[in-house]
Amino acid sequence: MARDRAQGNEYKGPLRRLLLGILVVCLLGVFLLWRVDSPRVERFRAQVVDRVVPNFDWAMAPVTGTVNIARDFQSYQRIYQQNQELRRELQQMKAWKEAALQLEQENARLLDLNNVRLDPRLTYVTGVVMADSGSPFRQSVIVNIGSRDGIVDGWAAMDGLGLVGRISGVGENTSRVILLTDTSSRIPVTIQPSGQRALIVGDNTSAPPIDFLEDKAQVRPGDRVITSGDGGIFPAGLLAGQVALDPGGRFRLRLAADYERLEFLRVLREYGRPGIDTPGSLIAPPEGTPAPAQSDSRPATVTGEATNG
């Protein structure tokens, strides 16, 4: 067995060298054949190609498939890059869309402010809501107008729909607006069409109660609520909202102002409010003013009663 293996190894070496030499000679011959420029050789090459190449389609299939895969990969890579670019452009378009929607909403609110019908004697200053300082115990916002704009404590503030609150605290460049929902807010109102007088009392809820009604039987849910002007707190006729009925049977105010989107407020100037200098003038006439003369019918009546008695 060892001798046969040694003889086999002796034959393998020369056989490999022989095959390698034949392969080199064949390749050299093919190279020379393809390099020779002769009409006969050209015809011979054409005949070889016609006979050999069609029979090698099965051998070219893997090469063709590999080339196609490489091309498809390049195509997918380009598609991926285009997809990424489209995603970036879509993201930018979303940002532009959001900006356009915000501008549209801002424009709509400003148009609402311009469409509010007010007393021609009233003028106003429009301010931007800078911060919301609301809390469970206080409902107020800050606007970017103050004493430099002529703002005075107590003036009414409205949005594009209805009454929001009143100025309570004025700085040089900012002012605080106490909302109708604040617990310190007490607004005299008139309920239409019945003409009932009442008070809107803030309780830190989105629907403040309506108290001190003269006759509740004349009030219905959906009735319009406007300021009455009593006490000189607010000008008369400002829309506050509508009457609503809670599950407990209590009348509440459905606010006309959109408290969820307070961005612009219109502060109403009211310079015509009468001033009160001395509290005594409310009780008795000033000193030196003659007392009004009494009519003759009253004493006569009293005398008659006394005589009959």
Side-chain angles (χ1 to χ4, degrees):
M1 294 295 295
R3 184 180 299 174
D4 294 339
R5 187 176 299 173
Q7 290 179 355
N9 292 333
E10 290 179 358
Y11 290 118
K12 285 181 181 179
L15 184 60
R16 289 176 181 175
R17 288 192 294 270
L18 178 61
L19 293 176
L20 181 60
I22 295 173
L23 179 61
V24 171
V25 171
C26 292
L27 293 176
L28 184 59
V30 171
F31 176 75
L32 294 176
L33 180 64
W34 242 254
R35 297 295 297 176
V36 172
D37 189 7
S38 173
R40 293 182 179 180
V41 177
E42 182 65 28
R43 286 195 298 271
F44 176 74
R45 287 200 296 261
Q47 292 176 0
V48 171
V49 170
D50 291 339
R51 290 181 176 274
V52 175
V53 172
N55 296 328
F56 275 85
D57 289 342
W58 59 270
M60 297 299 295
V63 177
T64 305
T66 304
V67 173
N68 292 334
I69 291 174
R71 290 178 179 175
D72 293 340
F73 178 77
Q74 293 176 354
S75 177
Y76 292 151
Q77 188 175 8
R78 289 194 297 269
I79 291 174
Y80 176 78
Q81 294 175 355
Q82 293 176 358
N83 189 18
Q84 294 299 319
E85 293 177 358
L86 291 175
R87 286 178 181 273
R88 287 192 293 268
E89 292 179 359
L90 180 60
Q91 191 68 22
Q92 294 176 356
M93 292 299 295
K94 287 182 178 180
W96 282 109
K97 178 183 177 182
E98 184 64 25
L101 289 176
Q102 292 178 358
L103 290 175
E104 182 180 1
Q105 294 173 359
E106 181 177 340
N107 187 29
R109 294 188 184 96
L110 289 175
L111 289 176
D112 288 338
L113 287 176
N114 291 329
N115 291 332
V116 175
R117 295 183 179 179
L118 300 173
D119 190 333
R121 295 172 298 178
L122 297 175
T123 58
Y124 57 87
V125 181
T126 301
V128 179
V129 177
M130 300 175 58
D132 183 357
S133 60
S135 69
F137 307 102
R138 189 171 189 179
Q139 301 286 326
S140 65
V141 295
I142 304 297
V143 292
N144 66 339
I145 49 178
S147 59
R148 66 174 183 179
D149 304 294
I151 303 300
V152 177
D153 270 333
W155 282 359
M158 302 181 66
D159 71 345
L161 299 176
L163 185 66
V164 172
R166 59 183 172 82
I167 299 295
S168 177
V170 180
E172 180 68 22
N173 302 316
T174 59
S175 300
R176 182 183 299 277
V177 178
I178 297 296
L179 304 181
L180 297 183
T181 55
D182 188 80
T183 54
S184 63
S185 177
R186 302 289 187 275
I187 307 300
V189 295
T190 301
I191 301 176
Q192 296 178 341
S194 63
Q196 296 293 308
R197 300 296 179 94
L199 279 180
I200 302 299
V201 181
D203 61 349
N204 284 345
T205 64
S206 59
I210 302 176
D211 286 340
F212 301 104
L213 277 169
E214 298 174 356
D215 187 359
K216 295 183 179 181
Q218 299 185 23
V219 178
R220 298 288 184 271
D223 288 351
R224 195 165 179 263
V225 180
I226 61 174
T227 55
S228 63
D230 294 337
I233 298 178
F234 285 146
L238 302 181
L239 178 63
Q242 294 180 342
V243 176
L245 193 64
D246 64 8
R250 187 178 186 183
F251 287 115
R252 290 184 175 270
L253 177 67
R254 183 183 294 113
L255 296 168
D258 188 0
Y259 277 39
E260 297 296 329
R261 296 184 299 176
L262 291 180
E263 293 187 7
F264 302 97
L265 291 183
R266 171 183 289 182
V267 180
L268 305 182
R269 296 191 185 102
E270 190 186 10
Y271 296 110
R273 184 180 302 173
I276 301 175
D277 298 331
T278 59
S281 61
L282 297 177
I283 301 172
E287 295 181 0
T289 303
Q294 295 180 349
S295 61
D296 296 337
S297 59
R298 183 64 181 171
T301 304
V302 174
T303 305
E305 291 176 355
T307 304
N308 293 333

